[in-house]
Amino acid sequence: MSLQKVVALVPMRHHSVRVPGKNYRPLAGKPLYQHILDTLLACPEIHEVVVDTDSQVIVAGVRETFPQVCVIERPAHLRADTIPMNEILMYDTDQVPADLYVQTHSTNPLLRAETVSRAIQTLQDNYPAYDTLFSVTRLQSRLWDGLARPINHNPAILLRTQDLPPVYEENSCLYLFSRQTLELRRNRIGERPYLFEIERDEAQDIDEEIDFTIADLMMRARGAGA
């Protein structure tokens, strides 16, 4: 199977509990969602960018500022907060055919176009040995479970944290998958996923109010250093 036709999917809810209106709230001078759209449109490997949303604010903004972006207005039966993302992706991939889908979020404004391109090229070059790809952040910290049991270290052997064997956090910045994998597994992660490492500063995710403040400062610092 070829992975040549690439479509980027960006789901965006209107409602957000912890950071009200975050997807369209201004960040470093423009609405949050515009940052990720600028990033995806700068990737030559991506043939089409698609926004799935239930927000009329975002629908109007995308159509005005990004007329080349396809907008899918999310149907009512998929709008509840309890609907799994994989079900939304099943709907979206049925609307817009592609060989390979790249899914990311508006809450990853520091993600760089070069990183997205490199992820696409990595899976294309390694398929079918790897059937999907998702982005991760390396952790080299002493981790414990809720019962105070060590997860990734031996407390009797106090290694420096930089010498610990790394573990990896799924950072939700990037998922690359085919419709076939999504249908078979009802999951965007396949049987043989490639763990694609992203630096921590680029993987900054906006989940709480403090994250918005940090991302705003980082975006402004990046712009000042450009």
Side-chain angles (χ1 to χ4, degrees):
M1 183 177 69
S2 168
L3 298 182
Q4 294 308 304
K5 184 181 178 182
V6 182
V7 166
L9 301 173
V10 192
M12 303 182 194
R13 293 189 189 278
H14 182 79
H15 175 67
S16 176
V17 175
R18 284 176 286 192
V19 186
K22 69 178 177 182
N23 282 327
Y24 46 88
R25 179 172 161 182
L27 175 85
K30 58 186 177 183
L32 175 61
Y33 72 85
Q34 292 191 10
H35 292 283
I36 195 64
L37 296 184
D38 284 336
T39 296
L40 295 172
L41 290 168
C43 297
E45 296 81 5
I46 294 176
H47 296 84
E48 186 173 13
V49 177
V50 177
V51 168
D52 170 301
T53 187
D54 63 345
S55 172
Q56 290 307 308
V57 172
I58 294 173
V59 169
V62 171
R63 287 177 174 163
E64 178 180 357
T65 309
F66 301 96
Q68 71 273 51
V69 170
C70 173
V71 176
I72 296 175
E73 296 196 43
R74 189 175 302 178
H77 70 279
L78 293 175
R79 293 185 179 183
D81 291 345
T82 54
I83 299 295
M85 177 55 62
N86 289 316
E87 295 307 306
I88 294 169
L89 295 175
M90 282 292 296
Y91 178 83
D92 291 346
T93 56
D94 190 49
Q95 307 305 304
V96 185
D99 301 321
L100 179 65
Y101 294 95
V102 179
Q103 190 243 312
T104 184
H105 298 93
S106 59
T107 51
N108 305 131
L110 289 146
L111 188 62
R112 297 179 184 274
E114 311 88 79
T115 301
V116 179
S117 291
R118 186 162 52 86
I120 294 169
Q121 293 164 10
T122 296
L123 186 58
Q124 288 174 331
D125 290 345
N126 289 280
Y127 185 86
Y130 294 96
D131 61 354
T132 49
L133 176 150
F134 67 95
S135 60
V136 296
T137 306
R138 176 189 292 252
L139 293 178
Q140 285 180 283
S141 303
R142 298 186 186 94
L143 302 177
W144 302 77
D145 68 14
L147 297 175
R149 295 175 298 195
I151 294 174
N152 66 331
H153 66 285
N154 182 347
I157 304 173
L158 198 60
L159 292 176
R160 299 180 303 170
T161 53
Q162 62 263 40
D163 294 330
L164 290 172
V167 293
Y168 296 92
E169 176 187 9
E170 182 181 340
N171 58 35
S172 298
C173 284
L174 285 172
Y175 296 90
L176 276 64
F177 55 91
S178 66
R179 167 77 183 191
Q180 181 181 26
T181 295
L182 196 61
E183 284 184 314
L184 289 174
R185 295 177 60 85
R186 219 70 179 186
N187 198 314
R188 57 196 167 183
I189 297 176
E191 295 180 348
R192 304 178 306 281
Y194 187 104
L195 273 63
F196 184 80
E197 190 173 342
I198 294 179
E199 291 298 323
R200 182 173 300 279
D201 61 339
E202 194 175 349
Q204 178 75 25
D205 180 63
I206 297 177
D207 195 38
E208 298 180 353
E209 191 65 38
I210 185 63
D211 301 325
F212 209 102
T213 301
I214 293 170
D216 188 76
L217 290 170
M218 293 176 71
M219 289 292 296
R220 292 180 187 278
R222 179 186 284 184

